[in-house]
Amino acid sequence: TVGAQTNDPSRYANESVLANGTWYKIKVEDTGVYKITYEKLKQWGITNPQNVQIYGYGGWMIDQDFASTDQLASQDDLPKVGMWMSKPRDQFGPGDYILFYAKGDVKWTYTSGSFRQTQNPYSFDSYYFITETTGDSKLMAEATAASTVDEVLTTYNDYYLHEQELVNITQTGREFYGENFKTKPNQDFSVSLSGITSDPASVSISFIARTTASTATISTSVNGTEIDKGNIPVIDDSYYARASLYETTKTSTLHSKT
């Protein structure tokens, strides 16, 4: 039995916002706040930077179930992106700039006391679209700063990711893995982080291997100290079993120069 779902046809746009006007496509590398100056907008061809508008989803993978996402459930076109102007719109001019929050191709979430990443498997590139129109810009409102501070923070939890999307062992699907250890079984990875404290760090590892003769062993060391050693079992030579997955999370103390 297949259940039918009713969709409101009014949520579908008659045409894309890209259908009219002049548009400029910009690429962002990572998630963060980006600055565009008045002069740069003029250089790109924006006649009146007071009327700049930004559209796009960025690089995060869009939910494949459109009905489960409020924004996608209400529209099927590029959304307008909020931005901040260094001057009121009618005073925006030379020397001024805009700021906007852009999403790269890796999405981070904090779940159950740890950070988890979601890599966009379809693209490493993230884009936004800029145009100018006299319509309302999605300008961010200014908030009043708190007059008192209840807590002063001197440390925070950070994360580092080494994930090279190089190999898809089944030549299908969205699972990609990184460096090949077949011809180089020992590999070093340098991590550069500033401001590391003496607090322990969580090190998560995800590794796949195919071994058909005997059990394989994987060993992980940080600063020359082994923090994990595990076994990857033999798999049969069946059509479906291509590799075994080994995942673990260990605790280690990092040095300031790691």
Side-chain angles (χ1 to χ4, degrees):
T1 303
V2 178
Q5 181 176 355
T6 302
N7 283 325
D8 181 5
S10 65
R11 77 181 183 91
Y12 296 103
N14 293 325
E15 61 180 9
S16 170
V17 292
L18 300 175
N20 300 290
T22 302
W23 293 83
Y24 306 87
K25 185 179 180 180
I26 61 172
K27 178 181 176 180
V28 299
E29 297 293 337
D30 302 298
T31 298
V33 177
Y34 286 79
K35 175 182 179 180
I36 305 177
T37 64
Y38 176 94
E39 288 73 20
K40 179 61 71 174
L41 292 170
K42 292 287 286 186
Q43 180 184 334
W44 287 344
I46 300 293
T47 304
N48 188 354
Q50 292 182 354
N51 297 327
V52 65
Q53 309 270 1
I54 304 175
Y55 288 79
Y57 286 105
W60 289 1
M61 190 169 63
I62 298 176
D63 197 319
Q64 293 183 321
D65 181 4
F66 283 11
S68 68
T69 305
D70 292 339
Q71 185 166 257
L72 292 174
S74 61
Q75 67 180 71
D76 70 325
D77 204 359
L78 292 176
K80 188 179 294 185
V81 177
M83 63 181 180
W84 180 84
M85 280 185 164
S86 60
K87 290 281 185 63
R89 185 175 180 182
D90 58 353
Q91 301 175 23
F92 192 74
D96 294 326
Y97 57 91
I98 64 172
L99 301 175
F100 73 101
Y101 178 75
K103 300 173 182 177
D105 64 316
V106 179
K107 179 181 180 180
W108 288 93
T109 55
Y110 189 72
T111 305
S112 302
S114 62
F115 291 99
R116 298 291 180 184
Q117 87 281 1
T118 302
Q119 176 88 42
N120 189 330
Y122 304 111
S123 176
F124 295 120
D125 301 325
S126 307
Y127 295 97
Y128 286 88
F129 299 87
I130 295 180
T131 190
E132 62 175 310
T133 176
T134 56
D136 292 336
S137 297
K138 191 175 181 180
L139 296 178
M140 298 180 182
E142 292 191 6
T144 303
S147 57
T148 59
V149 178
D150 297 327
E151 185 177 1
V152 177
L153 301 178
T154 58
T155 62
Y156 62 93
N157 292 331
D158 202 357
Y159 48 78
Y160 177 88
L161 173 66
H162 178 87
E163 182 175 356
Q164 303 292 311
E165 305 283 90
L166 303 176
V167 179
N168 182 308
I169 61 172
T170 61
Q171 305 299 310
T172 186
R174 300 185 300 175
E175 289 295 327
F176 287 79
Y177 289 86
E179 292 80 359
N180 191 334
F181 280 68
K182 184 175 182 179
T183 58
K184 190 178 180 181
N186 298 300
Q187 299 190 33
D188 296 327
F189 303 95
S190 297
V191 178
S192 178
L193 294 172
S194 61
I196 297 177
T197 68
S198 59
D199 295 319
S202 294
V203 180
S204 296
I205 306 155
S206 182
F207 192 89
I208 60 169
R210 177 179 176 85
T211 174
T212 58
S214 61
T215 300
T217 300
I218 174 174
S219 174
T220 304
S221 299
V222 175
N223 297 321
T225 301
E226 185 177 80
I227 63 170
D228 179 69
K229 189 172 185 178
N231 295 324
I232 299 178
V234 174
I235 60 175
D236 58 32
D237 198 23
S238 70
Y239 177 79
Y240 297 103
R242 299 299 299 272
S244 296
L245 173 65
Y246 180 84
E247 291 184 312
T248 187
T249 298
K250 298 295 181 179
T251 300
S252 176
T253 300
L254 305 180
H255 300 324
S256 59
K257 294 183 179 181
T258 300

